[in-house]
Amino acid sequence: MHFTMKDEILKRFLNANGEPISGQVLADELQVSRTAIWKHLQTLKQEGYEFETVKKRGYKLVTVPDKVDMGQLQQFLKTTRYGRQVHYFESVESTQLVAHELVREGAPDGTVIIAEHQTAGRGRMMREWESSEGKGIWMTIIIRPEIAPHQAPQFTLVTAVAVVNAMKAMFKNFTPEIKWPNDILIKGKKTTGILTEMVAEADRIQALLIGIGINVNQQMDDFPEALQPIATSIAIEEGEPIERVHLVANVLDFLEHYSDMYVKNGFGFIKTLWEESSGTIGKRVKATTLREVVEGEAISITENGVLEIRQANGEVKGIYSADIEIL
Ligand code: BTN
């Protein structure tokens, strides 16, 4: 979905901060008929926006629904590419699946797919991802960086750093931490998961599909019972409901900035930022890989984003992919 006339109208009402706007002025400025303006307002009403008629002065916007839609997002974005094309859905199977289709159709760098609800949200290692309606941020960003396929896992770490720093910039009542490789925890409980998929040729990446799931406005009883001991949301930790669209915009701003710096300057500064927010380095951990279980102290990540664990016998093992338990 591109930026439409309806989005442009909405943008003007959002910018007006509750002041009325005349239908005639809108029609003149946007060079459409008053009937066209009226029809777009009807569509916005169906989407949950409420307008009041103010005598002789036009319409004023009085209620904004809690949706992460294009018009609102464009208000907050400072990016040049990320989030400038948004495909927004009330409900999809998985935003990753939609992203794969769009990659085949040639969607440009920075295209975002976002849904209020996923019926078959996917996690890492073929797990399900609980994506309750209207409470979280469920989105995939299509990125087309000029990097080699073996660098793709580093991009997961770039994303984790972007999300954690977007959170730190917005919320003051908690300190989020990254759990290697890609979970963001608050007080030891998971609030964000990142799933990076790749479409590539032998030596060239066509696209990375970066899926980000953030628990935002859930209360504890919105989570299935099995998740309650290990999951949390930003609203629970911050102590108030959060405007999701604002967080989406911040994540995209940070992500575009860090991705560009990573492509230009390499992984070094991302490693530093990652370590600054890490809740893993220096801790005793248990890593369960497909082949073995490694226990010991997490001592660092390498330039390739590999986690190094020093075992009791002093041997250091590099972990490429695993489930990590912090002991
Ligand atoms: C994990 O921690 O296992 C990764 C979870 C990734 C979830 C997000 S939600 C948006 C995107 N669509 C999906 O189906 N999964 C990712």
Side-chain angles (χ1 to χ4, degrees):
M1 190 214 305
H2 299 275
F3 204 62
T4 61
M5 180 61 68
K6 183 192 76 179
D7 294 323
E8 181 59 39
I9 294 170
L10 176 60
K11 188 169 125 195
R12 290 180 185 230
F13 276 104
L14 290 166
N15 281 337
N17 287 326
E19 286 299 307
I21 303 183
S22 132
Q24 190 59 56
V25 169
L26 263 184
D28 291 347
E29 284 184 7
L30 299 173
Q31 300 185 340
V32 292
S33 66
R34 286 199 64 165
T35 319
I37 298 285
W38 185 83
K39 279 189 182 151
H40 287 301
L41 291 183
Q42 295 313 304
T43 313
L44 286 167
K45 279 184 193 166
Q46 280 160 16
E47 291 172 9
Y49 293 88
E50 285 174 29
F51 297 88
E52 262 174 33
T53 311
V54 184
K55 227 176 168 186
K56 297 209 176 112
R57 296 186 60 201
Y59 309 97
K60 75 177 186 185
L61 177 61
V62 288
T63 306
V64 177
D66 175 29
K67 295 210 177 215
V68 188
D69 74 14
M70 176 85 172
Q72 288 196 56
L73 183 59
Q74 301 306 311
Q75 282 270 108
F76 294 116
L77 273 182
K78 296 190 206 79
T79 57
T80 55
R81 307 179 318 280
Y82 291 16
R84 293 302 175 181
Q85 287 218 12
V86 178
H87 297 255
Y88 171 82
F89 299 90
E90 285 294 335
S91 181
V92 285
E93 251 178 78
S94 157
T95 54
Q96 296 293 112
L97 284 178
V98 179
H100 277 283
E101 272 171 40
L102 289 168
V103 163
R104 282 195 291 276
E105 289 166 16
D109 184 41
T111 300
V112 167
I113 301 97
I114 194 156
E116 295 292 341
H117 176 228
Q118 299 185 110
T119 54
R122 300 184 188 173
R124 282 170 67 230
M125 303 183 167
M126 313 292 282
R127 295 196 182 114
E128 276 176 35
W129 179 259
E130 165 66 31
S131 325
S132 54
E133 182 151 8
K135 302 276 170 125
I137 293 171
W138 323 126
M139 71 172 169
T140 303
I141 304 144
I142 297 173
I143 301 187
R144 296 188 183 271
E146 296 282 325
I147 58 171
H150 73 268
Q151 292 174 284
Q154 293 182 347
F155 237 97
T156 305
L157 305 186
V158 174
T159 309
V161 166
V163 176
V164 90
N165 282 331
M167 284 184 187
K168 283 183 179 172
M170 284 180 71
F171 307 118
K172 300 295 165 228
N173 294 343
F174 62 83
T175 306
E177 286 185 331
I178 308 172
K179 183 178 140 199
W180 185 88
N182 60 358
D183 289 350
I184 294 171
L185 309 187
I186 304 174
K187 296 191 202 120
K189 296 175 100 186
K190 183 156 168 171
T191 176
T192 300
I194 297 164
L195 174 71
T196 306
E197 295 179 305
M198 174 168 72
V199 179
E201 291 149 23
D203 56 352
R204 200 186 127 253
I205 284 184
Q206 269 186 30
L208 290 175
L209 289 68
I210 303 206
I212 305 178
I214 310 179
N215 297 327
V216 183
N217 281 328
Q218 289 96 332
Q219 289 306 314
M220 205 30 94
D221 53 13
D222 290 319
F223 291 111
E225 233 165 71
L227 289 184
Q228 292 185 8
I230 52 169
T232 192
S233 75
I234 295 180
I236 293 173
E237 304 301 333
E238 185 69 357
E240 60 185 26
I242 308 306
E243 240 188 288
R244 287 175 300 153
V245 66
H246 209 165
L247 180 55
V248 171
N250 260 308
V251 167
L252 293 173
D253 285 346
F254 274 89
L255 189 58
E256 182 175 284
H257 178 64
Y258 289 148
S259 309
D260 287 350
M261 286 186 60
Y262 165 74
V263 171
K264 209 162 142 226
N265 303 323
F267 187 59
F269 87 103
I270 292 292
K271 175 171 155 42
T272 309
L273 289 175
W274 192 92
E275 283 168 351
E276 254 172 42
S277 290
S278 163
T280 308
I281 304 301
K283 301 262 172 65
R284 277 193 58 72
V285 299
K286 182 163 135 187
T288 308
T289 73
L290 284 177
R291 273 173 287 119
E292 58 182 347
V293 176
V294 179
E295 223 179 281
E297 187 194 351
I299 51 174
S300 66
I301 52 163
T302 67
E303 290 291 320
N304 298 322
V306 172
L307 180 69
E308 292 188 315
I309 299 181
R310 188 188 293 118
Q311 295 169 289
N313 63 6
E315 190 192 334
V316 175
K317 275 226 161 163
I319 305 292
Y320 289 81
S321 171
D323 257 350
I324 297 287
E325 198 184 323
I326 296 176
L327 303 172

